[in-house]
């Protein structure tokens, strides 16, 4: 009486065990790619292409997300390092880079984030998203971030030394500003 049920249970267990081995092998091979995140993700994408509806799909997608998060963390650290280097190359008395991902404009007394939303998120934000981004920001141990006023922005971006070095087309401020 119980033999068919046990046989089915054994089959299910063996299938689950094989899936776990397959996933472990893919993780091991992907980890061997080191910081070549494109190659690591390709291992998973190739498997998903060969087996379009695998039982492991959700776990594979989690591994791909983990790789994306690693790559993003490294990209952000490199961008932060580049921005820190750029600021230190500017007027030595005006800007002071802090150790907490911020810098201070000694001329105005304002503290700015090293990273802006475009650098961090790699996309332009609309105004409501920019307000939300700043409101939720917890950089440098501060939780009271706000969008700068038009005058504060002009003081940073339109006076020497110019920040950032790569000129942007527009920025959000806490005020409406129109040029007629």
């Amino acid at each position: 009486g119980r033999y068919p049920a046990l046989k089915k249970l054994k089959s299910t267990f063996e299938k689950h065990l094989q899936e776990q081995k397959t996933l472990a092998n893919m993780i091991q091979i992907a980890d061997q790619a080191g910081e070549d995140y494109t190659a690591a993700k390709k291992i998973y994408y190739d498997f998903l292409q060969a087996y379009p509806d695998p039982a492991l799909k959700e776990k594979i997608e989690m591994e791909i997300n983990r790789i994306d998060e690693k790559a993003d963390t490294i990209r952000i650290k490199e961008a932060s390092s580049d921005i820190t280097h750029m600021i230190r190359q500017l007027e030595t008395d005006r800007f002071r880079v802090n150790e907490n991902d911020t810098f201070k404009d000694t001329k105005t007394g304002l503290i700015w984030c090293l990273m802006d939303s475009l650098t961090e998120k790699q996309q332009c934000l609309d105004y409501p998203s920019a307000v939300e981004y700043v409101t939720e920001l917890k950089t440098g141990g501060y939780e009271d971030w706000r969008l700068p006023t038009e005058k504060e922005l002009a003081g940073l971006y339109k006076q020497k030394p110019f920040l950032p070095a790569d000129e942007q087309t527009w920025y959000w401020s806490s005020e409406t500003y129109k040029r007629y």
Side-chain angles (χ1 to χ4, degrees):
R2 291 189 187 186
Y3 181 73
L6 285 174
K7 190 173 180 181
K8 183 178 179 185
L9 186 60
K10 180 183 175 195
S11 175
T12 302
F13 176 75
E14 287 172 345
K15 182 179 177 189
H16 177 73
L17 193 58
Q18 184 58 42
E19 290 170 358
Q20 294 305 317
K21 285 180 182 178
T22 301
L23 182 61
N25 287 337
M26 281 191 289
I27 291 172
Q28 183 180 14
I29 294 167
D31 285 348
Q32 289 173 356
E35 291 186 11
D36 186 351
Y37 299 117
T38 303
K41 289 182 355 181
K42 185 176 182 334
I43 292 160
Y44 297 111
Y45 288 133
D46 287 350
F47 181 83
L48 290 173
Q49 187 174 1
Y51 305 97
D53 193 27
L56 295 172
K57 185 174 183 176
E58 186 176 319
K59 290 179 181 177
I60 289 172
E61 288 172 349
M62 287 173 52
E63 286 299 314
I64 291 169
N65 288 337
R66 184 182 62 82
I67 291 169
D68 285 339
E69 287 172 8
K70 274 174 133 179
D72 209 38
T73 298
I74 288 173
R75 181 191 58 78
I76 288 171
K77 282 182 182 179
E78 288 173 352
S80 178
S81 178
D82 291 347
I83 293 166
T84 297
H85 179 73
M86 179 195 70
I87 291 171
R88 288 189 171 137
Q89 297 302 312
L90 299 172
E91 288 180 8
T92 56
D93 293 338
R94 179 161 178 200
F95 297 109
R96 187 185 77 225
V97 176
N98 302 320
E99 297 300 319
N100 60 3
D101 294 328
T102 64
F103 68 97
K104 183 175 184 173
D105 181 344
T106 59
K107 182 176 178 181
T108 63
L110 293 173
I111 295 177
W112 296 84
C113 290
L114 282 175
M115 305 290 287
D116 61 13
S117 60
L118 179 61
T119 305
E120 189 174 323
K121 295 189 172 284
Q122 294 187 295
Q123 66 180 10
C124 291
L125 301 179
D126 59 18
Y127 186 77
S129 298
V131 170
E132 180 181 351
Y133 172 82
V134 172
T135 302
E136 293 178 1
L137 198 59
K138 294 183 182 11
T139 298
Y142 300 101
E143 295 185 20
D144 59 347
W145 292 102
R146 62 174 173 78
L147 288 173
T149 65
E150 181 271 326
K151 184 178 178 183
E152 291 166 345
L153 268 177
L156 189 64
Y157 292 104
K158 297 199 182 253
Q159 297 175 13
K160 287 186 179 182
F162 302 106
L163 287 174
D166 300 331
E167 187 176 327
Q168 299 293 324
T169 308
W170 50 269
Y171 298 93
W172 290 118
S173 74
S174 60
E175 310 167 320
T176 303
Y177 178 71
K178 294 182 182 178
R179 185 175 282 182
Y180 296 97

